[in-house]
Amino acid sequence: MRPQPAAMSIASPTSDAPAHTPLGRGIQHIGIGKHGSKPLPPALLAECRKALTAPETHPLQRGVFLGALLAKGPTPEEYTLEEVIGKGAFSHPTFFINKVCPDLPMGMHPIATKLVRGHNLQVSEAEQLGDYLFGNGPCETFRGLAASILRVRHETNEEYQGLMRAAERTFTPSFRTISCADRPLIQLTEPFDGVENSYMITPLLAKFFLQKGYGPVSLVGVSGGPKFTLNALDVYMHLNCEFLLGNQEMGVPLENYGWVLDQKALSPALSRWVDRRRIILKRPFLATLEKVLNPCHAQILVTSVFHITYQMKMAELAMLAGFDAVMVLKRGLEGSLAPSTSRASGILCGVRTPRGHLFFQHFDSDLPAFAPYRSDADALHHQPTAAQNAKLIREFWTYGETPDADFDNRVRFAHALYGRGLAWIEGQLK
């Protein structure tokens, strides 16, 4: 392990520019999802028509825009955009791919046309797609097209399983070995884009699980957006934590906050998608996939979802990734692992028993045991800094309290909530 320099994740000075291009603004209308997308206003439609053929348009963003348009289904007015590609392109997938992705290798054409047709991929096809997306082949337009189609129509578990296999092949050799940890591992994974109006409690959760006899592993990475203010990587850097460089290092005695694994050390191929995601704008499949990857062979995953409807999906994906159990928080602050004390926060726990049976259990904040932690509102902290966040964590670590009563109450609630879930999981795994 080696210490990382204390520095915050830095967004490019032009990181907001992709959102202001005609296609970027178009993506924010049509790339939300099948049921949330809106038609393009006439003026923006005209701008997008020009941008689709403009040489300065980023090919990745061109692919994202067209993928979102096809996946949601174009309106009659949006159908006129077909003119800039070729007559009949939206109705003939093979013709469409040849026009939009002329440099795509022929071996990828069957998968590309299947995606354009709106069909789901089999595990092996998704695995082949993942190999291409994470590789160094040409055609950024196709990468954007595929990521956008998968996002808008929602990825299936089979597709995630194939993409997961491809992602695992990108791990550096030091993370392809079995860990030599002397205790069961718990992996904590926050959304990599972090928060904008609150403080994170991840290191204190790691300490909590360490005291329960587990080896906590926090999987972190640079934010690909849409938020860039503060994330778990920033906090761990300001705590001067050492970062894991391979599973062989898990034999070193644990200190303070457990092990911390930076995605860049785990997989440079996945890390390369950070810049792409800033151009894509909308969170692609990787925002979910990167949270369930299990490079250290942990027994339990602790993670969160921004959209409540994804809570069960995240639990299912954790089982596919090899975890024996999972805790998935809903309605955390800004989608983080810090539970809300004013909203209906709660965790979904899932286990795979030694006999292979799956069981699930909800623990919500309205349980009587959690009543002491309830509040009328969650405190807002505008432009929170990693330095201040680290200071709060150190103070709570040392004294069991800080000058921020809201922060203290949230940490104690999190300990009670996750502790309840952990006790249930341990009972099921006996």
Side-chain angles (χ1 to χ4, degrees):
M1 291 187 288
R2 66 181 176 207
Q4 294 278 359
M8 296 183 68
S9 300
I10 300 174
S12 163
T14 58
S15 62
D16 289 333
H20 297 152
T21 66
L23 294 187
R25 286 182 283 122
I27 290 166
Q28 293 175 78
H29 272 77
I30 65 175
I32 299 171
K34 258 190 173 179
H35 304 295
S37 297
K38 298 169 287 187
L40 292 168
L44 182 55
L45 181 67
E47 288 186 70
C48 290
R49 179 179 285 104
K50 293 180 181 177
L52 284 171
T53 57
E56 67 271 15
T57 295
H58 198 292
L60 189 65
Q61 201 164 73
R62 183 182 289 113
V64 172
F65 177 87
L66 290 172
L69 185 67
L70 292 177
K72 85 167 185 69
T75 64
E77 292 76 18
E78 292 166 348
Y79 220 94
T80 61
L81 293 174
E82 182 187 65
E83 299 166 3
V84 303
I85 302 170
K87 186 176 180 180
F90 288 170
S91 304
H92 298 85
T94 301
F95 177 66
F96 174 86
I97 290 297
N98 280 323
K99 285 289 187 179
V100 173
C101 307
D103 52 344
L104 184 68
M106 288 303 297
M108 291 301 300
H109 277 232
I111 289 174
T113 53
K114 195 169 184 178
L115 286 172
V116 171
R117 287 191 176 102
H119 297 167
N120 295 336
L121 302 181
Q122 298 176 1
V123 175
S124 60
E125 293 171 323
E127 191 172 354
Q128 184 183 350
L129 174 64
D131 286 338
Y132 191 82
L133 295 179
F134 303 139
N136 297 313
C139 201
E140 286 295 281
T141 300
F142 174 68
R143 285 188 173 87
L145 180 81
S148 188
I149 289 175
L150 289 173
R151 182 194 188 281
V152 173
R153 70 151 166 80
H154 295 168
E155 307 86 346
T156 66
N157 283 3
E158 289 75 20
E159 288 168 338
Y160 267 124
Q161 187 173 7
L163 292 167
M164 193 181 300
R165 290 177 181 174
E168 289 169 350
R169 277 198 291 276
T170 71
F171 292 174
T172 55
S174 59
F175 288 104
R176 295 182 191 174
T177 59
I178 299 297
S179 72
C180 52
D182 61 355
R183 66 193 74 193
L185 303 178
I186 287 186
Q187 179 174 305
L188 293 85
T189 315
E190 294 270 10
F192 283 16
D193 65 342
V195 295
E196 293 176 314
N197 297 292
S198 57
Y199 286 116
M200 310 193 80
I201 65 171
T202 325
L204 292 172
L205 291 178
K207 180 191 177 186
F208 172 76
F209 290 121
L210 183 60
Q211 293 172 331
K212 294 287 185 180
Y214 291 86
V217 181
S218 297
L219 186 56
V220 300
V222 174
S223 172
K227 295 180 285 188
F228 298 99
T229 303
L230 171 69
N231 73 0
L233 174 61
D234 301 326
V235 175
Y236 278 113
M237 282 182 171
H238 276 75
L239 289 170
N240 294 320
C241 290
E242 291 191 335
F243 284 62
L244 197 62
L245 294 180
N247 285 338
Q248 74 280 359
E249 294 185 346
M250 304 194 86
V252 178
L254 281 169
E255 294 181 6
N256 298 336
Y257 311 107
W259 295 290
V260 186
L261 172 54
D262 187 349
Q263 186 185 69
K264 185 179 291 186
L266 170 65
S267 168
L270 297 183
S271 185
R272 281 196 296 270
W273 268 78
V274 169
D275 290 336
R276 289 189 178 112
R277 289 158 73 168
R278 295 179 180 186
I279 297 168
I280 286 173
L281 301 178
K282 294 296 181 180
R283 294 180 180 90
F285 63 92
L286 259 178
T288 296
L289 183 66
E290 66 194 0
K291 294 200 289 185
V292 299
L293 295 175
N294 190 10
C296 301
H297 311 285
Q299 181 185 37
I300 302 172
L301 172 66
V302 179
T303 191
S304 60
V305 290
F306 191 82
H307 299 290
I308 297 175
T309 53
Y310 247 64
Q311 198 176 22
M312 180 59 77
K313 163 104 73 192
M314 188 68 78
E316 293 169 348
L317 294 178
M319 300 303 172
L320 287 176
F323 294 96
D324 291 329
V326 61
M327 288 187 271
V328 185
L329 180 71
K330 68 176 181 181
R331 292 197 176 98
L333 289 188
E334 303 182 69
S336 73
L337 289 178
S340 167
T341 57
S342 67
R343 303 172 66 217
S345 200
I347 54 174
L348 168 65
C349 299
V351 298
R352 181 195 295 110
T353 68
R355 294 187 176 184
H357 299 141
L358 298 179
F359 293 99
F360 298 94
Q361 178 68 47
H362 289 272
F363 294 100
D364 291 330
S365 60
D366 59 1
L367 290 174
F370 303 137
Y373 309 105
R374 297 287 294 171
S375 68
D376 293 331
D378 295 293
L380 290 178
H381 300 276
H382 298 293
Q383 293 299 311
T385 66
Q388 179 61 24
N389 203 154
K391 181 181 178 183
L392 288 170
I393 288 168
R394 288 193 183 99
E395 288 178 340
F396 195 94
W397 172 286
T398 304
Y399 306 110
E401 62 181 4
T402 74
D404 188 332
D406 179 86
F407 180 85
D408 297 349
N409 183 51
R410 194 172 318 286
V411 174
R412 293 177 185 126
F413 176 35
H415 288 172
L417 181 62
Y418 290 115
R420 183 73 173 268
L422 183 61
W424 180 82
I425 286 172
E426 290 176 335
Q428 296 297 319
L429 291 178
K430 285 182 179 177

